[in-house]
């Protein structure tokens, strides 16, 4: 699975602490969400952010690192536009701004994960990979 990373997981040393097997597959850009600083980086509606694609089969380890079970982050899937050697989708972790003390407002009502998924359904959000040179 390809995972778009934009914060602490862009650092190889940090990734090596979390995952036994992984590969960075290159630079990427997330269109439709922009990075916001809080206690940890998170994403907010609109704009774009640069990052990297990380390839791993161990999403459980990433979920644990990102605190998915505790509601700190939610993992979502967004379309991935790239070359044929990439899957059709990439995972993206979005942090709950209330839990991360980030100045972000997600539209809608209901629990945070539902608001993020609704935004993704109703807006153009995708990851792009620059063409290889």
């Amino acid at each position: 699975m390809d995972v778009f990373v934009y914060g602490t997981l862009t650092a190889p040393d940090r990734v090596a602490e979390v995952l036994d097997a992984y590969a960075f597959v290159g630079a990427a850009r997330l269109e439709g969400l922009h990075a916001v600083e809080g206690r940890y980086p998170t994403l907010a509606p609109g704009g774009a952010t640069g990052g990297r694609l990380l390839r791993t089969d161990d999403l459980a380890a990433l979920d644990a690192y990102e605190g998915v079970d505790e509601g700190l982050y939610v993992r979502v899937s967004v379309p991935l536009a790239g070359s044929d050697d990439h899957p059709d989708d990439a995972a993206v972790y979005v942090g709950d701004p209330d839990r991360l003390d980030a100045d972000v407002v997600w539209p809608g009502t209901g629990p945070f994960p539902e608001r993020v998924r609704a935004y993704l359904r109703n807006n153009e959000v995708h990851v792009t990979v620059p063409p290889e040179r």
Side-chain angles (χ1 to χ4, degrees), residues 14-25:
R14 179 58 57 102
V15 176
E17 293 172 6
V18 177
L19 298 171
D20 291 329
Y22 68 93
F24 283 111
V25 293

Side-chain angles (χ1 to χ4, degrees), residues 59-114:
L59 289 181
L62 289 178
D63 284 357
Y65 175 78
E66 299 287 8
V68 171
D69 287 346
E70 293 81 39
L72 192 60
Y73 281 79
V74 59
R75 177 171 36 94
V76 294
S77 181
V78 301
L80 172 60
S83 63
D84 291 339
D85 62 341
H86 289 284
D88 293 337
D89 298 302
V92 177
Y93 289 90
V94 181
D96 184 334
D98 292 338
R99 304 272 314 272
L100 298 176
D101 299 321
D103 189 18
V104 176
V105 176
W106 282 86
T109 59
F112 172 70
E114 290 176 17

Side-chain angles (χ1 to χ4, degrees), residues 24-38:
F24 283 111
V25 293
R29 184 171 171 90
L30 178 62
E31 302 287 346
L33 299 175
H34 68 278
V36 175
E37 291 300 319

